Amino acid sequence: MPDLAIIIPSVLNGLTTGALYALVALGLTLIYGVLHIINFAHGALLMLGLYAVYYLNTRFGLDPYVCLLIVPPAMFALGYALQRGIIGRAGHGRDENILLVTLGLSIVIENLALFFFKSDTRIIDTPYSFEVVQIIGAFVPEPKVFAFIGAFVTAGLLWALMSFTDLGRAIRALAKERKGATLVGINADHVYAMSFGLGIACLGVAACLLLPSYYVSPQVGQGFVLIAFTIVVLGGMGSFVGALIGGLFIGVVEALSGLFLGESLGQIGIFAIFIVVLIFRPTGLLGHKV
Amino acid sequence: MPEAMLEVSNICKTFGGVRASRNVSLSVPDGKITSLIGPNGAGKTTLFAQITGFLKPDSGSIRFLGEDITGASPEEIAERGMIRTFQVVKPFAGQTVRDNIAVGAHLRIRSRRGALAKAEEVAREVGLGNRLDQDASSLTVAGRKRLEVARALATEPKLILFDEVLAGLNPSEIRDVIPVIRAVKDRGITILLIEHVMQAVMSLSEYTWVLNQGGLIAEGVPKDVVSDPHVIEAYLGKGMAERIAAREKADV
Amino acid sequence: MRTLIILAAVFAALGLVPFFVVSDVWLNIAIMVLYSALLGQAWNMLGGYGGQFSFGHAAFFGTGAYTVAVLQVQYGINPWIGLFAGGLAAVVVAAIIGYSTFRYGLKGSYFALVTLAFAEVLRILSNSVPITGAGVGLLIPLQVAPSNLQFADKGSYYWLVWAMALCAFAAACWIGNSRFGAQLMAVRDNEDAARALGVRAYSVKLRAIMLSGFFSGLGGVFYAQYFLYLDPHIAYGASVSIESLLVPIIGGIGTLFGPLLGAVVLHAISEVSRDLIGDVPGISLVLYGALLVVMVLFLPRGLAGLLIRRKAAPQNRKKQEAEHA
C-alpha cells in the first residue's frame, strides 16, 4: 500500500486531469442534452482545436491563453456548420445513424490530420510549461491549475448562458419539447446548430487550456472520446454539474488505478466503470437534465 | 361457477406518487366480448400493460386459465394464449403484410412455409387478402388495425386484449372493423377491449368495467353503466349527471 | 428457394476465381474482398437483420485471431483445432457481451458504445498480459503445410476464406428464410410488438450476437493464418470494427448480398485511389470515412437499396410512425 506522500500527488494530478476531461465532456453533454445525439467526432474535433492552438503558437507566437479569443469562436463556427450541413441531415429517425455519421467524420478528420500534420507528437513551449504550484505538500504544474480553474469558469459561463439568455431559453425549450418550441416560433435547425456549435466551442476552450500541459498528434482525440462518454454517462446525459463531478471522479480513478495497476492496465478501470454504468444506469447517476 | 378465463385481483401500481392502478379487480369470462372503458388518462393502458407482462404490478395478482401469471414476461404470457395489441399500432415497417402476420404465426408454427401459409389464411379472414405483398407501412390506419388483429389471430390465442382498436378510425372504417372483431369472437376467442370512445364498445361488448383515476368506478352491462351518475361525471365532469337528469326531467 | 440458388451460383462462380486469376496481386485482392465480405456478413447478422449496431466487432475478431495464434505459439496446438477453438472463443465473448447488454435492455447508441468499450478492454488486456505477447504481439512461426493451415500458394488461402464466407452467407440466407430470422427482424423493427406476439426478444438477440461473433471470430482466425502476425491494435483496434460495419452499410444492411457488394466496392475504391493518389498513409481511410458519411446521408439502405425492392431495415421508421400517429 503506497503511503500518502504518493497518493496525494496522484489524487491532485487526477483532479487536474479530470477537470480537463470535464471540459471535453461538457461539450458532449450539452450536445446530448439538447439534440439527444452522441457526437462520436468529439475527440477528432478536440484534436483539430489542439492543432489550431499549436499552429497559432508556433507560427504567430500567440500564447495558448490568448488563443481563447480565437479558437473557441472558430470551433463554434465549425460545429454550427457541421450540424447544419451534415449531422442534422443524417438521422433518418435512427440515433445509430448519427453515431455512424460522426464516426465517419472522425475517421475523415483524423486521417486528414495524419496526412497534413504527419503522425509526430508535438508539444509547445511556454514560459510557464514547467512552473509548479505547491498544494498540500504536492507539486502541481501551473498549466494544470489554470485548466482546473478554467473548467469551472467555463461550466459557470455555460450555466449562465443557459439560464439567463434568450438563446439559453430557446435551447432549453427545444431540449424539452421540440414540437412546442417550434410552434412558438423557435427555429429548431438554427438552435440545434447553435447548441452543437457551443458544444464544439467547449472543445476549443479545452484545447487552449490543455495544450500547455499536454501534446497533440492526429490520434490524440481517440483517448478522450470514450473517457468523455464515460463521464457523460456517469454524470447523467445532459447534466453540467454531472459532467464536472464525473470528470473529476474519472480523473482520480484513472490516476489511482494507474498507480496501483500500472500505466497500461490502469485504463481498464475507466472502461469497467463505463460498461457497468451504461448497463445498470443508462440515465446516469445524477439523473437527466439540461 | 367455473373460474373466469382471466382473473385480475387487487392490482396496484404507483409511478412516482401517481397511483396509476388502485386496487383493480376484474374477472373476464370465457368466450365473451367484454370491455374496459374510461376517460383519457384513467389508467387503462397501464392496466393492460400489467396484465400482459409489460409492467409489473406493485401488488395484487393476475391469473390466466387458472394459473398465476403475475410478473411473467410478455413472451411467456403470449405463449400461454393471451395476446395484446397496441393503441399506437406497431407494424414491422419495411416488411410485407405477409411477413408481419407470419411473425405471429411462428409462435405455434416452426416451419417458415407453414407460417407463411397460415399468414395468408388469416389475412383473408380479416380482409387483407389482397394486400399480402404490400409493405406494412404503406397500409392506411384502418389497414394497420386489421394487421394488428391478424397478427394476434395468427398466434392462435385464447384471449385477445385490444387496446383502442377503433381509435383513430372514421365512422365508416369503424363499421368495417367491427365485424372483424365479431368474427374473432365467433371463432371462440375471448376478447377484452379498451376504449375511451363509448359508443362502439356499447354495441360490441356484453359486460364492461369503467376505470377512472386508476380505480374501478362501475361495472355491469353497458346500458346500465352509461347511465350510472359516477360514469357520467367521470367523462363529463362534476355536476354533469345532475344537470342531465334535470334536463331529462324538464324534457318530460 | 430462389435466393438459395442465386447464392449457390454466385459462390460456385467465386470458387472458380483461382483457376482464372493467376496474378498473386489480383488473387490477394480477391482474398481481401472475400475476407471483408465475411467480416461484413458477420456484422450484418446482428446489425442488419437484428438492428443492433455494434461498434466493437473487433472483440470477436481479435478473440478468434488470438485464440488460434496463442494455441499454436504457446501450446503447440494445431491451427485446424485452433480454427474451431477460435470461432468458439469468439462465441463465448459474444455471449458475455450479449448477456450483459441485452439482459438489461441496452439498445441503440448505448449498445454500440458498450460493444466498443468491451473491445477496448480486450485491447488493453491483450496489451498487458504475457500470453498474447503483450504490446510486442505474436509472430506465428512460418511452417508451410496444409496440415498447419499455412499454404504456399494464394489459391489455397483463397479457398479457405471462400469456404468461411460461404458458411457465413449460407447462415445469413437461413436467417432470411427461417423462424429465427423472422423473429430477429421483428425484434429489430419493433421489439414491443414482437414480444407481445410471443417472440423471446432477449434470447433471439443473444443467439444473433453469438452467430455473428462466431463468423467474426473465423475472420480473425483467417487473418492470423494469412498474415502470421498479430498485435493488440490489429486484433482489437477500431479498424476491424469499422471495416465490419462499413462493408454492409455500403452494400445494404439486412440484405443477403449487401456485404459482398460492399466488400467489392470498398476494395475497388481503395485500389483505384492507390493507383491515382499513390500509397499515402491514411488516404484510403479518409475515403472510407467520407463514404460512411455519404452513405448514411444519402443512401441509408446501401447500394442494394438502389437495386432491389426493399424488404429490410427500415430507416424511416420513426418518421413514418410520426406521420401516421
Side-chain angles (χ1 to χ4, degrees):
Chain A
M1 186 77 191
D3 61 64
L4 281 179
I6 305 176
I7 291 182
I8 287 178
S10 189
V11 168
L12 281 176
N13 186 37
L15 283 174
T16 49
T17 312
L20 285 166
Y21 289 162
L23 257 182
V24 177
L26 270 179
L28 199 64
T29 208
L30 170 68
I31 291 169
Y32 184 85
V34 181
L35 290 89
H36 307 292
I37 61 171
I38 294 171
N39 174 27
F40 204 82
H42 216 62
L45 290 168
L46 172 68
M47 177 267 293
L48 275 192
L50 285 166
Y51 272 109
V53 178
Y54 174 82
Y55 281 106
L56 284 172
N57 177 267
T58 51
R59 291 280 159 84
F60 303 101
L62 289 183
D63 187 276
Y65 298 124
V66 176
C67 294
L68 278 171
L69 298 173
I70 305 167
V71 176
M75 295 287 280
F76 172 85
L78 176 64
Y80 186 96
L82 278 179
Q83 166 65 22
R84 206 83 206 244
I86 297 177
I87 299 168
R89 297 162 191 259
H92 306 296
R94 287 192 68 144
D95 60 345
E96 295 98 323
N97 283 341
I98 303 286
L99 211 55
L100 288 174
V101 155
T102 51
L103 168 71
L105 285 175
S106 74
I107 298 172
V108 171
I109 295 169
E110 268 170 20
N111 288 288
L112 282 178
L114 191 67
F115 178 71
F116 286 112
F117 308 137
K118 307 293 175 249
S119 63
D120 312 335
T121 297
R122 297 155 198 261
I123 53 169
I124 56 166
D125 189 25
T126 60
Y128 42 81
S129 282
F130 298 103
E131 295 293 320
V132 289
V133 183
Q134 197 176 1
I135 304 168
I136 38 174
F139 294 101
V140 182
E142 230 172 52
K144 288 196 144 187
V145 177
F146 294 153
F148 187 82
I149 298 165
F152 282 88
V153 172
T154 311
L157 286 174
L158 264 185
W159 175 81
L161 185 136
M162 295 297 275
S163 305
F164 304 120
T165 66
D166 283 343
L167 175 64
R169 276 185 278 272
I171 290 175
R172 279 184 294 139
L174 203 55
K176 231 186 220 145
E177 179 60 67
R178 181 184 172 141
K179 241 185 201 153
T182 26
L183 279 178
V184 298
I186 291 174
N187 178 348
D189 289 340
H190 171 70
V191 176
Y192 277 150
M194 293 294 280
S195 314
F196 199 87
L198 278 176
I200 304 307
C202 286
L203 288 178
V205 176
C208 297
L209 297 175
L210 188 59
L211 199 57
S213 61
Y214 211 68
Y215 64 91
V216 58
S217 75
Q219 277 93 24
V220 70
Q222 288 173 0
F224 283 89
V225 180
L226 274 185
I227 291 175
F229 282 133
T230 313
I231 293 165
V232 169
V233 167
L234 199 62
M237 299 268 191
S239 157
F240 293 153
V241 180
L244 275 179
I245 298 172
L248 298 179
F249 177 73
I250 289 295
V252 172
V253 166
E254 186 189 42
L256 289 182
S257 55
L259 187 64
F260 291 112
L261 296 172
E263 192 70 20
S264 67
L265 262 181
Q267 282 228 308
I268 281 190
I270 295 176
F271 295 122
I273 292 176
F274 179 72
I275 292 170
V276 168
V277 171
L278 256 192
I279 288 172
F280 292 105
R281 197 71 211 278
T283 50
L285 297 179
L286 298 172
H288 180 125
K289 56 170 178 271
V290 175
Chain B
M1 188 183 139
E3 191 177 10
M5 176 171 257
L6 174 69
E7 195 80 52
V8 176
S9 323
N10 309 105
I11 290 289
C12 294
K13 179 85 192 171
T14 308
F15 290 113
V18 180
R19 293 181 64 189
S21 301
R22 314 172 178 225
N23 211 25
V24 179
S25 298
L26 46 89
S27 57
V28 175
D30 203 340
K32 295 201 161 79
I33 299 182
T34 52
S35 60
L36 181 67
I37 61 170
N40 276 326
K44 300 182 301 276
T45 297
T46 310
L47 186 64
F48 251 34
Q50 292 173 85
I51 294 173
T52 50
F54 282 88
L55 286 174
K56 202 173 145 51
D58 295 339
S59 65
S61 76
I62 299 154
R63 294 173 68 80
F64 178 57
L65 298 171
E67 282 175 76
D68 188 15
I69 56 160
T70 321
S73 67
E75 297 94 313
E76 192 194 328
I77 290 170
E79 271 168 33
R80 285 168 182 266
M82 185 191 332
I83 299 286
R84 73 168 292 187
T85 67
F86 291 89
Q87 182 177 354
V88 180
V89 289
K90 298 174 187 292
F92 304 123
Q95 299 191 34
T96 61
V97 167
R98 187 196 310 269
D99 287 344
N100 264 265
I101 304 173
V103 173
H106 269 309
L107 181 62
R108 311 275 176 228
I109 303 167
R110 172 162 276 283
S111 95
R112 185 74 186 144
R113 189 173 299 191
L116 290 173
K118 172 91 183 173
E120 267 182 50
E121 180 195 317
V122 175
R124 292 220 175 78
E125 281 176 45
V126 302
L128 285 172
N130 53 352
R131 309 213 177 267
L132 276 161
D133 294 309
Q134 204 170 315
D135 190 321
S137 56
S138 70
L139 293 175
T140 60
V141 177
R144 288 163 183 229
K145 300 269 183 183
R146 283 172 197 268
L147 182 61
E148 287 269 316
V149 177
R151 285 198 312 206
L153 266 186
T155 66
E156 297 182 357
K158 301 193 173 65
L159 169 64
I160 304 182
L161 279 63
F162 286 113
D163 192 350
E164 308 233 345
V165 71
L166 302 173
L169 300 183
N170 64 37
S172 88
E173 288 169 333
I174 289 179
R175 273 197 298 280
D176 287 348
V177 174
I178 281 179
V180 174
I181 295 171
R182 284 233 167 83
V184 172
K185 186 212 150 187
D186 293 341
R187 292 168 51 139
I189 297 168
T190 309
I191 293 172
L192 176 61
L193 300 162
I194 286 189
E195 287 293 337
H196 79 272
V197 187
M198 269 197 262
Q199 274 148 330
V201 177
M202 295 304 114
S203 67
L204 268 173
S205 65
E206 299 166 56
Y207 196 85
T208 193
W209 293 269
V210 186
L211 203 60
N212 190 33
Q213 297 179 347
L216 285 181
I217 54 168
E219 61 178 283
V221 289
K223 75 170 176 24
D224 295 344
V225 164
V226 285
S227 52
D228 185 318
H230 291 109
V231 177
I232 296 170
E233 291 199 354
Y235 267 88
L236 301 173
K238 230 175 159 46
M240 258 333 254
E242 283 162 32
R243 256 182 275 168
I244 290 173
R247 181 180 298 172
E248 272 172 5
K249 213 174 256 172
D251 285 349
V252 174
Chain C
M1 202 58 218
R2 229 184 85 232
T3 38
L4 197 62
I5 294 166
I6 299 174
L7 183 68
V10 167
F11 267 83
L14 285 173
L16 299 176
V17 164
F19 294 114
F20 298 99
V21 178
V22 279
S23 143
D24 267 4
V25 175
W26 280 101
L27 207 48
N28 183 53
I29 293 173
I31 288 171
M32 294 321 285
V33 167
L34 280 183
Y35 159 81
S36 292
L38 168 65
L39 292 184
Q41 190 63 277
W43 188 93
N44 191 37
M45 291 172 191
L46 181 67
Y49 291 102
Q52 314 296 316
F53 282 27
S54 150
F55 269 36
H57 255 55
F60 314 135
F61 171 90
T63 301
Y66 266 126
T67 301
V68 70
V70 167
L71 285 179
Q72 272 174 96
V73 176
Q74 314 284 15
Y75 302 100
I77 293 173
N78 185 282
W80 283 100
I81 297 172
L83 173 85
F84 294 99
L88 289 181
V91 170
V92 171
V93 170
I96 292 170
I97 295 179
Y99 173 83
S100 48
T101 52
F102 298 143
R103 180 94 274 183
Y104 299 97
L106 221 56
K107 287 178 203 163
S109 304
Y110 296 109
F111 174 75
L113 292 176
V114 166
T115 54
L116 175 61
F118 268 108
E120 283 292 287
V121 165
L122 288 170
R123 185 179 62 77
I124 295 165
L125 278 178
S126 65
N127 205 14
S128 314
V129 295
I131 197 171
T132 55
V136 182
L138 271 185
L139 203 60
I140 297 173
L142 188 70
Q143 289 170 312
V144 177
S147 63
N148 257 335
L149 204 55
Q150 288 184 24
F151 305 101
D153 62 316
K154 291 228 185 289
S156 302
Y157 274 113
Y158 179 88
W159 277 311
L160 178 64
V161 74
W162 174 83
M164 288 175 171
L166 175 61
C167 293
F169 277 74
C173 184
W174 169 72
I175 289 178
N177 297 286
S178 66
R179 172 157 93 161
F180 169 69
Q183 294 185 332
L184 183 63
M185 287 185 266
V187 168
R188 169 193 73 193
D189 290 341
N190 198 313
E191 186 163 335
D192 276 349
R195 295 183 71 195
L197 294 172
V199 176
R200 294 189 174 271
Y202 163 65
S203 138
V204 165
K205 286 193 278 188
L206 191 62
R207 279 184 279 161
I209 197 174
M210 286 163 71
L211 196 62
S212 174
F214 176 76
F215 287 106
S216 211
L218 281 192
V221 170
F222 177 80
Y223 186 98
Q225 291 305 118
Y226 190 53
F227 293 102
L228 300 176
Y229 174 73
L230 282 180
D231 68 23
H233 196 73
I234 293 172
Y236 289 122
S239 30
V240 168
S241 299
I242 292 168
E243 185 174 345
S244 298
L245 65 87
L246 190 55
V247 162
I249 284 172
I250 292 173
I253 65 172
T255 64
L256 177 58
F257 292 103
L260 186 60
L261 190 61
V264 170
V265 170
L266 198 66
H267 285 280
I269 287 175
S270 82
E271 291 307 317
V272 169
S273 74
R274 192 169 301 160
D275 278 357
L276 291 179
I277 311 171
D279 225 346
V280 183
I283 208 71
S284 62
L285 280 172
V286 172
L287 286 171
Y288 287 7
L291 204 57
L292 182 55
V293 173
V294 169
M295 291 310 291
V296 176
L297 270 180
F298 302 109
L299 275 180
R301 284 189 267 139
L303 294 173
L306 289 177
L307 304 176
I308 54 164
R309 185 180 64 88
R310 179 167 78 154
K311 200 184 167 182
Q315 295 282 346
N316 295 318
R317 193 172 67 224
K318 283 180 191 161
K319 210 166 146 196
Q320 285 166 352
E321 265 177 19
E323 280 164 7
H324 286 277

